[in-house]
């Protein structure tokens, strides 16, 4: 009987310990429970949402984000039923999605990033020697957009540029590699900026403007051959040494790379077009949870700081970005000095631009 009683007592004790552990875990789960929100995001934000520190910061505010990457303009063709938010890379595709899903304004715009051209050092030096760029130190400069557009209009080749013969990799037609404007935001905004310059400093707004600028835009796109659907792939190719010596990407991608490499990147020059388009990363809330998340990204100090770490410029405080990127100032035009913002055509005009540019 004593042996049986001992066994029973042991079982009860073990059971009590197990129950206590389970109860403790349930208490922990309850204390750290997060609400899962699903979204479709531009590929350039994939690293941000995958960052363990971002995951932790979101969890501290009660959110777990399940994000799937897509080209910003391609989101329009997706079935977003069951998603809480979409997060394209600029306002134009966001406005289309908001209209399609009857989303009320204003749309949260937590951060933004200008478009830049990354160049290998030899290419940047040749551009500068031929009046197509102005270098400000070894690793940063300004692309003279008007001069570049004129060179593209006249089918200039690298071989026609002074100093290019010393660099065997600089051959063929001079062009900036960009993404497919039908699916990718950066590709569409490239056409917006180029068309603004080609249209005499006026936004393309109607049939006559489209007719006037279409031949140039077709040249800018057709010379590239097959285009990638996202800047993420284009930028990775450039960093690996493959592809074209001039590539259009987001400043955020460059800033993030520099942060990873402690402010040093050999053979990289960042050219800021003197006429460009800023990409306002805009959240399209498809329900209340999506809106709460979008607003949190723009207001929470920890998430704003993490956005800067990934190269984005938080809305409303330029000094925040300048202070945080001080160690990368040799590459980054922190205050966007000498950069003019071109207005963006309507979504309908951008779609028609892309259609004509691709023939």
């Amino acid at each position: 009987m004593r042996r049986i009683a001992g066994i029973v007592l042991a079982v009860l004790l073990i059971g009590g310990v197990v129950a206590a552990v389970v109860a403790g875990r349930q208490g922990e789960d309850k204390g750290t429970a997060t609400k899962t929100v699903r979204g479709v995001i531009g590929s350039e934000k994939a690293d941000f949402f995958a960052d363990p520190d971002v995951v932790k910061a979101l969890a501290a505010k009660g959110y777990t984000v399940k994000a799937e990457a897509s080209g910003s303009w391609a989101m329009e063709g997706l079935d977003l039923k069951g998603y809480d938010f979409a997060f394209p890379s600029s306002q134009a595709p966001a406005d289309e999605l908001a209209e399609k899903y009857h989303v009320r304004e204003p749309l949260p715009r937590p951060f933004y990033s200008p478009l830049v051209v990354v160049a290998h050092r030899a290419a940047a030096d040749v551009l500068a020697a031929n009046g197509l760029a102005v270098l400000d130190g070894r690793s940063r400069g300004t692309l003279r957009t008007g001069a570049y557009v004129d060179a593209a209009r006249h089918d200039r080749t690298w071989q026609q540029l002074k100093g290019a013969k010393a660099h065997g990799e600089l051959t063929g037609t001079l062009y900036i590699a960009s993404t497919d404007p039908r699916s990718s935001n950066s590709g569409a905004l490239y056409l917006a900026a180029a068309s603004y310059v080609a249209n005499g400093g006026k936004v393309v707004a109607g049939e006559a403007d489209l007719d006037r600028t279409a031949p140039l835009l077709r040249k800018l796109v057709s010379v590239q051959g097959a285009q990638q659907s996202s800047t993420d792939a284009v930028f990775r190719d450039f960093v690996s040494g493959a592809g074209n010596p001039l590539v259009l990407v987001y400043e955020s991608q460059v800033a993030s790379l520099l942060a990873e490499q402690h402010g040093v990147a050999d053979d990289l020059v960042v050219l800021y077009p003197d006429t460009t388009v800023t990409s306002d990363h805009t959240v399209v809330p498809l329900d209340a949870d999506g809106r709460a998340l979008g607003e949190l990204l723009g207001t929470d100090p920890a998430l704003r700081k993490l956005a800067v770490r990934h190269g984005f410029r938080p809305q409303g405080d330029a000094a925040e970005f300048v202070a945080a990127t001080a160690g990368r100032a040799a590459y980054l035009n922190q205050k966007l000095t000498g950069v003019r913002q071109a207005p963006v055509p309507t979504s309908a005009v951008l779609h028609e631009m892309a259609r004509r540019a691709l023939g």
Side-chain angles (χ1 to χ4, degrees), residues 257-264 327-328:
L257 174 72
L258 292 169
E260 293 172 6
Q261 300 187 355
H262 306 290
V264 178
R328 293 166 265 175

Side-chain angles (χ1 to χ4, degrees), residues 43 46-47 231-242 247 249 253:
S43 61
D47 287 344
T231 52
D232 185 57
V234 172
F235 188 54
R236 290 183 190 279
D237 284 348
F238 176 85
V239 171
S240 71
V247 179
V249 298
Q253 294 170 290

Side-chain angles (χ1 to χ4, degrees), residues 38-42 45 68 72 75-76 78 80 83-89 93-94 97-98 101 103 107-108 281-287 290-291 293-294:
R38 295 181 63 208
V40 180
I41 62 172
K45 293 184 284 289
E68 301 170 22
S72 293
M75 292 181 190
E76 184 187 358
L78 300 177
L80 297 181
Y83 289 86
D84 301 290
F85 71 97
F87 200 175
S89 303
L97 288 169
Y101 290 95
V103 178
L107 304 180
H281 295 268
T282 306
V283 176
V284 182
L286 301 174
D287 57 24
R291 183 170 292 278
L293 175 68

Side-chain angles (χ1 to χ4, degrees), residues 8 11-12 15 60 67 70 99 106 124 139 160 170 181 185 193-194 262 295 312 315 332 357:
V8 170
V11 170
L12 289 173
S70 167
E99 182 177 355
S139 304
Q160 293 172 327
L170 300 180
N185 175 67
H262 306 290
E295 292 172 352
F312 300 108
Q315 297 282 4
L332 305 178

Side-chain angles (χ1 to χ4, degrees), residues 39 242 277:
V277 174

